[in-house]
Amino acid sequence: MSEALDKVGERARNIEIAFFGGSFTAIDREYMLSLLQAANKFIDFFGGIRISTRPDYIDNEILEILAKYKVTSIELGAQSTDEEVLALNDRGHGRRDIFVASELIKARGFLLGLQMMTGLYGSDFDKDKQTALDFISLRPETVRIYPTVIMKDTGLAELYKSGRFVPYTLEQSVALCTELITLFEKENIKIIRLGLHYSDSLVQNSLGENYHPAFKELCESKLMLEKFLALAKFPEKRETRVFINPKSLSKLLGQKKTNLHKLEGLGYKLKIEFDDELDKYGMYIL
């Protein structure tokens, strides 16, 4: 382990030890402590410890333990702030639990992360947007957005097969999440994940057609296309100079250059130029 740390060197300061994939503070207490003790031996090499847990498994006693073992960031799998949606999806916690846990976490000096799922059973665009607005009111440092994917042999799969649950289409999910990007970016809240990580198991064991391995790219491309169309008013011009951050070229072009083809079809001929001072979604046109 020491050799591995030596190779990473100073870069380790930008790396966190993370306990994800479940509700960390809801597992057996002795097991949780053993994991924290093991991680604590290496804490001086890394930027901190990040955990993920449920809103209803946070209280002052738990936070005291986490602080003792130098946990720095706590993410809550809130998923929705709508009481009906939480109940319909058997989340086991309510809206109030999310707000109480978030305030406790921030009051103790931890960095707060919130995770939401769009398109849950019983939800709609308005409820999902309200969840995002509620998250913003809690001022987390980070958010993760996961569009709902239906997995085989689950209660949600039975609802889907019976017609009681109609998921968002991929196009609908992209449209909604593009709006959510704009909401969080405006408030300087960092989205550290948008869409589910690809895995063969996920693809093989999911139902419907609303999953895409490059979901974030689809949303960012739509955002850049909409921004361009809002700024560019003169398709009859022979050439339109558009300035973006060089790292945003693929976002503007779109996956397989779909944005470029759409704009060409509308009569735009782009001359893309770069401005390092622009942020990743920044743009201006001359």
Side-chain angles (χ1 to χ4, degrees):
M1 183 68 177
S2 60
E3 290 182 9
L5 290 173
D6 288 340
K7 290 180 180 179
V8 174
E10 285 301 314
R11 289 178 297 162
R13 298 296 178 187
N14 298 319
I15 299 172
E16 293 175 307
I17 299 170
F19 293 105
F20 273 62
S23 297
F24 187 70
T25 60
I27 63 177
D28 176 78
R29 181 60 59 85
E30 291 303 314
Y31 181 47
M32 183 185 81
L33 290 173
S34 71
L35 292 173
L36 289 171
Q37 289 163 2
N40 220 245
K41 297 175 184 177
F42 304 98
I43 190 62
D44 291 336
F45 293 98
F46 294 96
I49 299 175
R50 176 180 292 264
I51 70 158
S52 174
T53 194
R54 295 168 55 102
D56 50 331
Y57 277 84
I58 287 290
D59 56 31
N60 282 316
E61 179 200 5
I62 287 172
L63 293 176
E64 187 73 30
I65 293 171
L66 298 180
K68 176 183 176 182
Y69 286 97
K70 301 179 181 178
V71 170
T72 48
S73 303
I74 301 174
E75 292 192 31
L76 297 179
Q79 315 315 357
S80 174
T81 56
D82 186 275
E83 291 285 13
E84 182 182 17
V85 173
L86 292 170
L88 285 171
N89 290 274
D90 296 322
R91 287 297 303 162
H93 66 81
R95 173 185 170 88
R96 184 175 182 276
D97 293 314
I98 298 166
F99 282 78
V100 170
S102 295
E103 293 301 340
L104 284 174
I105 288 166
K106 292 198 302 178
R108 291 299 299 266
F110 296 96
L111 299 178
L112 173 66
L114 293 172
Q115 303 169 6
M116 68 178 289
M117 292 183 70
T118 59
L120 284 166
Y121 177 48
S123 194
D124 56 34
F125 272 31
D126 289 338
K127 290 178 180 179
D128 287 339
K129 289 178 189 177
Q130 186 58 53
T131 291
L133 293 173
D134 286 338
F135 279 18
I136 288 169
S137 74
L138 290 167
R139 306 310 305 174
E141 277 69 35
T142 62
V143 294
R144 297 178 194 259
I145 305 172
Y146 297 115
T148 297
V149 174
I150 308 163
M151 302 304 292
K152 295 177 182 177
D153 302 320
T154 62
L156 194 60
E158 293 306 310
L159 290 169
Y160 171 66
K161 291 176 181 178
S162 69
R164 287 178 289 168
F165 172 53
V166 180
Y168 296 160
T169 64
L170 179 61
E171 184 178 0
Q172 288 173 324
S173 286
V174 169
L176 171 63
C177 290
T178 299
E179 290 189 48
L180 299 188
I181 290 174
T182 301
L183 285 175
F184 286 120
E185 285 287 330
K186 183 179 178 181
E187 297 294 330
N188 294 314
I189 296 172
K190 186 176 182 181
I191 300 172
I192 57 176
R193 185 70 198 176
L194 178 56
L196 292 168
H197 287 281
Y198 173 83
S199 72
D200 291 338
S201 176
L202 174 62
V203 173
Q204 293 165 5
N205 293 290
S206 61
L207 299 173
E209 298 179 353
N210 59 342
Y211 171 73
H212 194 285
F215 184 79
K216 182 179 181 181
E217 182 181 339
L218 294 179
C219 295
E220 291 182 324
S221 295
K222 181 176 175 60
L223 189 155
M224 294 293 279
L225 176 63
E226 291 176 349
K227 180 164 288 191
F228 177 89
L229 291 173
L231 293 172
K233 305 295 184 182
F234 309 106
E236 69 275 8
K237 291 176 63 176
R238 182 172 179 81
E239 186 175 73
T240 302
R241 295 174 66 198
V242 53
F243 292 79
I244 58 172
N245 186 291
K247 294 181 181 178
S248 298
L249 179 59
S250 64
K251 298 178 178 62
L252 176 60
L253 296 178
Q255 193 176 52
K256 297 181 180 179
K257 297 185 177 181
T258 52
N259 283 354
L260 184 62
H261 298 324
K262 286 179 182 177
L263 292 173
E264 287 175 346
L266 291 172
Y268 290 101
K269 182 178 180 182
L270 300 189
K271 182 180 181 183
I272 300 172
E273 301 184 42
F274 300 121
D275 184 341
D276 291 320
E277 298 299 316
L278 291 170
D279 62 32
K280 63 181 176 180
Y281 301 125
M283 179 188 299
Y284 63 90
I285 289 173
L286 295 177

PDB file of all heavy atoms in Angstrom, residues 185-207:
ATOM      1  N   GLU A 185     -26.322  24.931 -12.038  1.00  0.00           N
ATOM      2  CA  GLU A 185     -25.188  25.745 -12.472  1.00  0.00           C
ATOM      3  C   GLU A 185     -25.390  27.208 -12.088  1.00  0.00           C
ATOM      4  O   GLU A 185     -24.442  27.885 -11.674  1.00  0.00           O
ATOM      5  CB  GLU A 185     -24.998  25.626 -13.989  1.00  0.00           C
ATOM      6  CG  GLU A 185     -24.383  24.313 -14.447  1.00  0.00           C
ATOM      7  CD  GLU A 185     -22.911  24.220 -14.133  1.00  0.00           C
ATOM      8  OE1 GLU A 185     -22.235  25.264 -14.095  1.00  0.00           O
ATOM      9  OE2 GLU A 185     -22.426  23.088 -13.936  1.00  0.00           O
ATOM     10  N   LYS A 186     -26.596  27.692 -12.222  1.00  0.00           N
ATOM     11  CA  LYS A 186     -26.903  29.085 -11.868  1.00  0.00           C
ATOM     12  C   LYS A 186     -26.611  29.345 -10.395  1.00  0.00           C
ATOM     13  O   LYS A 186     -26.230  30.460 -10.008  1.00  0.00           O
ATOM     14  CB  LYS A 186     -28.369  29.385 -12.186  1.00  0.00           C
ATOM     15  CG  LYS A 186     -28.774  30.823 -11.925  1.00  0.00           C
ATOM     16  CD  LYS A 186     -30.229  31.038 -12.284  1.00  0.00           C
ATOM     17  CE  LYS A 186     -30.661  32.475 -11.983  1.00  0.00           C
ATOM     18  NZ  LYS A 186     -32.099  32.697 -12.311  1.00  0.00           N
ATOM     19  N   GLU A 187     -26.779  28.329  -9.554  1.00  0.00           N
ATOM     20  CA  GLU A 187     -26.561  28.473  -8.113  1.00  0.00           C
ATOM     21  C   GLU A 187     -25.168  28.019  -7.683  1.00  0.00           C
ATOM     22  O   GLU A 187     -24.895  27.910  -6.487  1.00  0.00           O
ATOM     23  CB  GLU A 187     -27.620  27.656  -7.360  1.00  0.00           C
ATOM     24  CG  GLU A 187     -29.048  28.127  -7.581  1.00  0.00           C
ATOM     25  CD  GLU A 187     -29.307  29.510  -7.022  1.00  0.00           C
ATOM     26  OE1 GLU A 187     -28.658  29.875  -6.019  1.00  0.00           O
ATOM     27  OE2 GLU A 187     -30.166  30.222  -7.582  1.00  0.00           O
ATOM     28  N   ASN A 188     -24.302  27.733  -8.670  1.00  0.00           N
ATOM     29  CA  ASN A 188     -22.925  27.288  -8.380  1.00  0.00           C
ATOM     30  C   ASN A 188     -22.884  26.026  -7.522  1.00  0.00           C
ATOM     31  O   ASN A 188     -22.026  25.883  -6.650  1.00  0.00           O
ATOM     32  CB  ASN A 188     -22.133  28.410  -7.704  1.00  0.00           C
ATOM     33  CG  ASN A 188     -21.918  29.596  -8.619  1.00  0.00           C
ATOM     34  OD1 ASN A 188     -21.550  29.432  -9.779  1.00  0.00           O
ATOM     35  ND2 ASN A 188     -22.169  30.790  -8.114  1.00  0.00           N
ATOM     36  N   ILE A 189     -23.833  25.130  -7.763  1.00  0.00           N
ATOM     37  CA  ILE A 189     -23.849  23.832  -7.091  1.00  0.00           C
ATOM     38  C   ILE A 189     -23.353  22.798  -8.099  1.00  0.00           C
ATOM     39  O   ILE A 189     -23.934  22.637  -9.175  1.00  0.00           O
ATOM     40  CB  ILE A 189     -25.254  23.477  -6.578  1.00  0.00           C
ATOM     41  CG1 ILE A 189     -25.685  24.488  -5.507  1.00  0.00           C
ATOM     42  CG2 ILE A 189     -25.286  22.054  -6.024  1.00  0.00           C
ATOM     43  CD1 ILE A 189     -27.130  24.344  -5.071  1.00  0.00           C
ATOM     44  N   LYS A 190     -22.303  22.109  -7.756  1.00  0.00           N
ATOM     45  CA  LYS A 190     -21.628  21.223  -8.698  1.00  0.00           C
ATOM     46  C   LYS A 190     -22.373  19.896  -8.864  1.00  0.00           C
ATOM     47  O   LYS A 190     -22.692  19.222  -7.890  1.00  0.00           O
ATOM     48  CB  LYS A 190     -20.200  20.950  -8.218  1.00  0.00           C
ATOM     49  CG  LYS A 190     -19.357  20.148  -9.200  1.00  0.00           C
ATOM     50  CD  LYS A 190     -17.939  19.995  -8.695  1.00  0.00           C
ATOM     51  CE  LYS A 190     -17.070  19.226  -9.688  1.00  0.00           C
ATOM     52  NZ  LYS A 190     -15.690  19.066  -9.192  1.00  0.00           N
ATOM     53  N   ILE A 191     -22.642  19.535 -10.111  1.00  0.00           N
ATOM     54  CA  ILE A 191     -23.217  18.218 -10.423  1.00  0.00           C
ATOM     55  C   ILE A 191     -22.052  17.259 -10.652  1.00  0.00           C
ATOM     56  O   ILE A 191     -21.324  17.380 -11.639  1.00  0.00           O
ATOM     57  CB  ILE A 191     -24.105  18.285 -11.675  1.00  0.00           C
ATOM     58  CG1 ILE A 191     -25.251  19.273 -11.471  1.00  0.00           C
ATOM     59  CG2 ILE A 191     -24.663  16.894 -12.011  1.00  0.00           C
ATOM     60  CD1 ILE A 191     -26.075  19.538 -12.731  1.00  0.00           C
ATOM     61  N   ILE A 192     -21.852  16.328  -9.739  1.00  0.00           N
ATOM     62  CA  ILE A 192     -20.697  15.434  -9.860  1.00  0.00           C
ATOM     63  C   ILE A 192     -21.049  14.112 -10.545  1.00  0.00           C
ATOM     64  O   ILE A 192     -20.150  13.330 -10.862  1.00  0.00           O
ATOM     65  CB  ILE A 192     -20.017  15.169  -8.499  1.00  0.00           C
ATOM     66  CG1 ILE A 192     -21.009  14.579  -7.486  1.00  0.00           C
ATOM     67  CG2 ILE A 192     -19.398  16.433  -7.965  1.00  0.00           C
ATOM     68  CD1 ILE A 192     -20.353  14.205  -6.163  1.00  0.00           C
ATOM     69  N   ARG A 193     -22.339  13.900 -10.796  1.00  0.00           N
ATOM     70  CA  ARG A 193     -22.741  12.723 -11.573  1.00  0.00           C
ATOM     71  C   ARG A 193     -24.102  12.992 -12.183  1.00  0.00           C
ATOM     72  O   ARG A 193     -25.008  13.474 -11.515  1.00  0.00           O
ATOM     73  CB  ARG A 193     -22.792  11.464 -10.702  1.00  0.00           C
ATOM     74  CG  ARG A 193     -23.095  10.178 -11.466  1.00  0.00           C
ATOM     75  CD  ARG A 193     -21.943   9.780 -12.347  1.00  0.00           C
ATOM     76  NE  ARG A 193     -22.334   8.839 -13.375  1.00  0.00           N
ATOM     77  CZ  ARG A 193     -21.527   8.395 -14.335  1.00  0.00           C
ATOM     78  NH1 ARG A 193     -20.282   8.817 -14.398  1.00  0.00           N
ATOM     79  NH2 ARG A 193     -21.942   7.553 -15.241  1.00  0.00           N
ATOM     80  N   LEU A 194     -24.243  12.688 -13.466  1.00  0.00           N
ATOM     81  CA  LEU A 194     -25.519  12.800 -14.168  1.00  0.00           C
ATOM     82  C   LEU A 194     -25.689  11.554 -15.018  1.00  0.00           C
ATOM     83  O   LEU A 194     -25.000  11.373 -16.022  1.00  0.00           O
ATOM     84  CB  LEU A 194     -25.543  14.061 -15.034  1.00  0.00           C
ATOM     85  CG  LEU A 194     -26.800  14.304 -15.887  1.00  0.00           C
ATOM     86  CD1 LEU A 194     -28.047  14.322 -15.019  1.00  0.00           C
ATOM     87  CD2 LEU A 194     -26.681  15.610 -16.658  1.00  0.00           C
ATOM     88  N   GLY A 195     -26.585  10.678 -14.594  1.00  0.00           N
ATOM     89  CA  GLY A 195     -26.763   9.400 -15.281  1.00  0.00           C
ATOM     90  C   GLY A 195     -26.005   8.288 -14.587  1.00  0.00           C
ATOM     91  O   GLY A 195     -25.082   8.529 -13.807  1.00  0.00           O
ATOM     92  N   LEU A 196     -26.391   7.056 -14.882  1.00  0.00           N
ATOM     93  CA  LEU A 196     -25.785   5.884 -14.251  1.00  0.00           C
ATOM     94  C   LEU A 196     -24.532   5.432 -14.986  1.00  0.00           C
ATOM     95  O   LEU A 196     -24.450   5.524 -16.210  1.00  0.00           O
ATOM     96  CB  LEU A 196     -26.786   4.727 -14.216  1.00  0.00           C
ATOM     97  CG  LEU A 196     -27.997   4.915 -13.292  1.00  0.00           C
ATOM     98  CD1 LEU A 196     -29.038   3.852 -13.577  1.00  0.00           C
ATOM     99  CD2 LEU A 196     -27.581   4.865 -11.829  1.00  0.00           C
ATOM    100  N   HIS A 197     -23.561   4.937 -14.211  1.00  0.00           N
ATOM    101  CA  HIS A 197     -22.372   4.339 -14.812  1.00  0.00           C
ATOM    102  C   HIS A 197     -22.779   3.167 -15.695  1.00  0.00           C
ATOM    103  O   HIS A 197     -23.668   2.383 -15.348  1.00  0.00           O
ATOM    104  CB  HIS A 197     -21.422   3.820 -13.722  1.00  0.00           C
ATOM    105  CG  HIS A 197     -20.706   4.897 -12.983  1.00  0.00           C
ATOM    106  ND1 HIS A 197     -19.605   5.550 -13.488  1.00  0.00           N
ATOM    107  CD2 HIS A 197     -20.931   5.439 -11.760  1.00  0.00           C
ATOM    108  CE1 HIS A 197     -19.171   6.438 -12.616  1.00  0.00           C
ATOM    109  NE2 HIS A 197     -19.963   6.401 -11.562  1.00  0.00           N
ATOM    110  N   TYR A 198     -22.102   3.033 -16.820  1.00  0.00           N
ATOM    111  CA  TYR A 198     -22.387   1.896 -17.701  1.00  0.00           C
ATOM    112  C   TYR A 198     -21.854   0.598 -17.100  1.00  0.00           C
ATOM    113  O   TYR A 198     -20.780   0.546 -16.511  1.00  0.00           O
ATOM    114  CB  TYR A 198     -21.732   2.084 -19.071  1.00  0.00           C
ATOM    115  CG  TYR A 198     -21.871   0.859 -19.947  1.00  0.00           C
ATOM    116  CD1 TYR A 198     -23.032   0.652 -20.687  1.00  0.00           C
ATOM    117  CD2 TYR A 198     -20.868  -0.115 -19.983  1.00  0.00           C
ATOM    118  CE1 TYR A 198     -23.189  -0.485 -21.467  1.00  0.00           C
ATOM    119  CE2 TYR A 198     -21.021  -1.257 -20.761  1.00  0.00           C
ATOM    120  CZ  TYR A 198     -22.177  -1.443 -21.494  1.00  0.00           C
ATOM    121  OH  TYR A 198     -22.334  -2.578 -22.254  1.00  0.00           O
ATOM    122  N   SER A 199     -22.640  -0.455 -17.253  1.00  0.00           N
ATOM    123  CA  SER A 199     -22.160  -1.804 -16.968  1.00  0.00           C
ATOM    124  C   SER A 199     -22.963  -2.767 -17.829  1.00  0.00           C
ATOM    125  O   SER A 199     -24.129  -2.501 -18.161  1.00  0.00           O
ATOM    126  CB  SER A 199     -22.325  -2.166 -15.481  1.00  0.00           C
ATOM    127  OG  SER A 199     -23.682  -2.377 -15.157  1.00  0.00           O
ATOM    128  N   ASP A 200     -22.351  -3.883 -18.199  1.00  0.00           N
ATOM    129  CA  ASP A 200     -23.070  -4.894 -18.987  1.00  0.00           C
ATOM    130  C   ASP A 200     -24.295  -5.386 -18.223  1.00  0.00           C
ATOM    131  O   ASP A 200     -25.355  -5.611 -18.801  1.00  0.00           O
ATOM    132  CB  ASP A 200     -22.137  -6.062 -19.304  1.00  0.00           C
ATOM    133  CG  ASP A 200     -21.044  -5.685 -20.286  1.00  0.00           C
ATOM    134  OD1 ASP A 200     -21.225  -4.696 -21.030  1.00  0.00           O
ATOM    135  OD2 ASP A 200     -19.998  -6.374 -20.307  1.00  0.00           O
ATOM    136  N   SER A 201     -24.141  -5.557 -16.908  1.00  0.00           N
ATOM    137  CA  SER A 201     -25.239  -6.045 -16.084  1.00  0.00           C
ATOM    138  C   SER A 201     -26.422  -5.084 -16.107  1.00  0.00           C
ATOM    139  O   SER A 201     -27.584  -5.512 -16.188  1.00  0.00           O
ATOM    140  CB  SER A 201     -24.764  -6.243 -14.641  1.00  0.00           C
ATOM    141  OG  SER A 201     -25.831  -6.637 -13.806  1.00  0.00           O
ATOM    142  N   LEU A 202     -26.121  -3.793 -16.049  1.00  0.00           N
ATOM    143  CA  LEU A 202     -27.190  -2.797 -16.086  1.00  0.00           C
ATOM    144  C   LEU A 202     -27.982  -2.901 -17.383  1.00  0.00           C
ATOM    145  O   LEU A 202     -29.216  -2.912 -17.373  1.00  0.00           O
ATOM    146  CB  LEU A 202     -26.591  -1.395 -15.938  1.00  0.00           C
ATOM    147  CG  LEU A 202     -27.550  -0.217 -16.087  1.00  0.00           C
ATOM    148  CD1 LEU A 202     -28.629  -0.255 -15.018  1.00  0.00           C
ATOM    149  CD2 LEU A 202     -26.799   1.100 -16.043  1.00  0.00           C
ATOM    150  N   VAL A 203     -27.291  -2.987 -18.494  1.00  0.00           N
ATOM    151  CA  VAL A 203     -27.963  -3.056 -19.795  1.00  0.00           C
ATOM    152  C   VAL A 203     -28.755  -4.360 -19.940  1.00  0.00           C
ATOM    153  O   VAL A 203     -29.897  -4.371 -20.403  1.00  0.00           O
ATOM    154  CB  VAL A 203     -26.928  -2.925 -20.936  1.00  0.00           C
ATOM    155  CG1 VAL A 203     -27.591  -3.159 -22.284  1.00  0.00           C
ATOM    156  CG2 VAL A 203     -26.273  -1.547 -20.899  1.00  0.00           C
ATOM    157  N   GLN A 204     -28.166  -5.451 -19.506  1.00  0.00           N
ATOM    158  CA  GLN A 204     -28.793  -6.766 -19.670  1.00  0.00           C
ATOM    159  C   GLN A 204     -29.994  -6.964 -18.745  1.00  0.00           C
ATOM    160  O   GLN A 204     -30.900  -7.738 -19.060  1.00  0.00           O
ATOM    161  CB  GLN A 204     -27.761  -7.866 -19.414  1.00  0.00           C
ATOM    162  CG  GLN A 204     -26.661  -7.923 -20.472  1.00  0.00           C
ATOM    163  CD  GLN A 204     -25.472  -8.759 -20.035  1.00  0.00           C
ATOM    164  OE1 GLN A 204     -25.491  -9.389 -18.965  1.00  0.00           O
ATOM    165  NE2 GLN A 204     -24.408  -8.752 -20.834  1.00  0.00           N
ATOM    166  N   ASN A 205     -30.022  -6.263 -17.622  1.00  0.00           N
ATOM    167  CA  ASN A 205     -31.067  -6.502 -16.620  1.00  0.00           C
ATOM    168  C   ASN A 205     -32.029  -5.335 -16.448  1.00  0.00           C
ATOM    169  O   ASN A 205     -32.777  -5.284 -15.476  1.00  0.00           O
ATOM    170  CB  ASN A 205     -30.421  -6.826 -15.271  1.00  0.00           C
ATOM    171  CG  ASN A 205     -29.693  -8.150 -15.287  1.00  0.00           C
ATOM    172  OD1 ASN A 205     -30.305  -9.209 -15.355  1.00  0.00           O
ATOM    173  ND2 ASN A 205     -28.368  -8.100 -15.251  1.00  0.00           N
ATOM    174  N   SER A 206     -32.021  -4.409 -17.406  1.00  0.00           N
ATOM    175  CA  SER A 206     -32.953  -3.285 -17.330  1.00  0.00           C
ATOM    176  C   SER A 206     -34.054  -3.438 -18.369  1.00  0.00           C
ATOM    177  O   SER A 206     -33.909  -4.152 -19.362  1.00  0.00           O
ATOM    178  CB  SER A 206     -32.208  -1.961 -17.535  1.00  0.00           C
ATOM    179  OG  SER A 206     -31.601  -1.915 -18.814  1.00  0.00           O
ATOM    180  N   LEU A 207     -35.168  -2.757 -18.123  1.00  0.00           N
ATOM    181  CA  LEU A 207     -36.317  -2.786 -19.022  1.00  0.00           C
ATOM    182  C   LEU A 207     -36.547  -1.396 -19.593  1.00  0.00           C
ATOM    183  O   LEU A 207     -36.164  -0.388 -18.997  1.00  0.00           O
ATOM    184  CB  LEU A 207     -37.565  -3.249 -18.270  1.00  0.00           C
ATOM    185  CG  LEU A 207     -37.515  -4.647 -17.651  1.00  0.00           C
ATOM    186  CD1 LEU A 207     -38.757  -4.889 -16.794  1.00  0.00           C
ATOM    187  CD2 LEU A 207     -37.395  -5.722 -18.723  1.00  0.00           C
TER     188      LEU A 207
END
